[in-house]
Amino acid sequence: MTLALKGIHHLTAITADAPGNLRFYTEVLGLRLVKKTVNQDDTSAYHLFYADGKATPGTDITFFDWPAQRETRGNHAVSRTGLRIAGRASLDYWHARLTEAGVATGAITELDGRASLDFEDPEGQRLRLIDDGGTGEANPWDASSVPAKHQFRGLGPITMAVPDLARTAPVLTELMNMREVRTYEADGASVHVFEMGEGGPAAELHVAVDPSLPAAGQGAGGVHHVAFRAADVEELHAWTERVRGFRVPSSGEVERYYFRSLYFREPNGVLFEIATDGPGFAVDEPMETLGESLSLPPFLEPKRAQIEAGLKPLDRQGKDRT
């Protein structure tokens, strides 16, 4: 049987304003903070995870809190993060909600055969609402300020920008077993759509090719990496062997406690991660109270006092509301 990724697992971006980030993604976008932890490789930085009501794999957009300058936009980077909703009425709802909140928002348009709405968070993180037709699983969050029928259903598609498809495509199709299924034009770029698993917007990577763009400079408002779904640890082991067999340098498997991961860069420099669906965010706290306190994996727990002392309050008034 051919090894196949299930779709998008999560996307990790960068913020230089954790309190503002928390407020925007929970209050304006209505997402649930499902895990408040730290960057395991830099424990001075928060790692905030936002997702649907059940913290389902494929729904979480996450942020490292680093004191970084704004991203310089260009090639060799993820350029747009899709958030799936169901139906034109939801796009109308979000256009009105975002406009009222003063969010930089475009017009509702048809893109790649789907109704879409582009907008940016306060730091310039580029997001796109996609009408996915209401297919597949949805797990609304009861405490969200957004009505259940309009809440985000998950991630996808993810768009990355490269100057040359010839370097990236073989990694996607030959190593990662994705399928190139179509192309479309957007913002002066030729966009090539690669799908994995059963396909559909939750399982698509869009590669925008425009040689005229400069190289991106990573920073706040930009994306650190995109992760793809492996069903379990056994499947991740198979991916690890496959990446090694293609002689692609990688991190080797990394235990993140909430999932297990493998990291490598495709030839145009975008950082990819393959992550397991489990064990999930409820492994160390009840589903009902996810994200309400600082969670640390067992290997960091002995350093809790030191880590907490080095973190900035998430409340601008000096108190951590979560």
Side-chain angles (χ1 to χ4, degrees), residues 246-295:
F246 275 76
R247 298 184 179 180
V248 174
S250 78
S251 63
E253 292 184 22
V254 180
E255 181 56 67
R256 295 303 190 192
Y257 189 51
Y258 309 110
F259 42 82
R260 190 171 179 86
S261 299
L262 174 73
Y263 301 85
F264 60 95
R265 291 190 185 275
E266 57 81 36
N268 270 300
V270 177
L271 182 59
F272 286 171
E273 174 184 356
I274 299 176
T276 60
D277 276 358
F281 295 120
V283 69
D284 61 351
E285 56 183 341
M287 179 64 70
E288 295 75 18
T289 57
L290 288 181
E292 293 183 7
S293 60
L294 182 69
S295 294

Side-chain angles (χ1 to χ4, degrees), residues 85-95 107-110 115-116 131-133 150:
I85 56 175
R88 176 57 188 251
S90 286
L91 282 173
D92 292 337
Y93 168 87
W94 277 106
H95 189 272
I108 297 172
T109 60
E110 190 84 5
S116 307
D131 177 8
D132 70 358
H150 297 313

Side-chain angles (χ1 to χ4, degrees), residues 38 40 43 294 296-311:
V38 294
Q40 294 179 11
T43 59
L294 182 69
L296 297 175
F299 74 91
L300 289 178
E301 193 59 48
K303 300 179 180 179
R304 176 174 287 274
Q306 176 185 346
I307 290 171
E308 288 182 338
L311 293 171

Side-chain angles (χ1 to χ4, degrees), residues 7-11 50-52 55-61 82-84 153-156 202 227 229 277:
I8 306 299
H9 186 282
H10 68 268
L11 179 131
Y50 308 101
D52 69 4
T56 312
T59 70
D60 45 313
I61 181 169
L83 300 169
R84 294 179 288 108
R153 297 162 48 80
L155 292 173
R229 295 175 64 185
D277 276 358

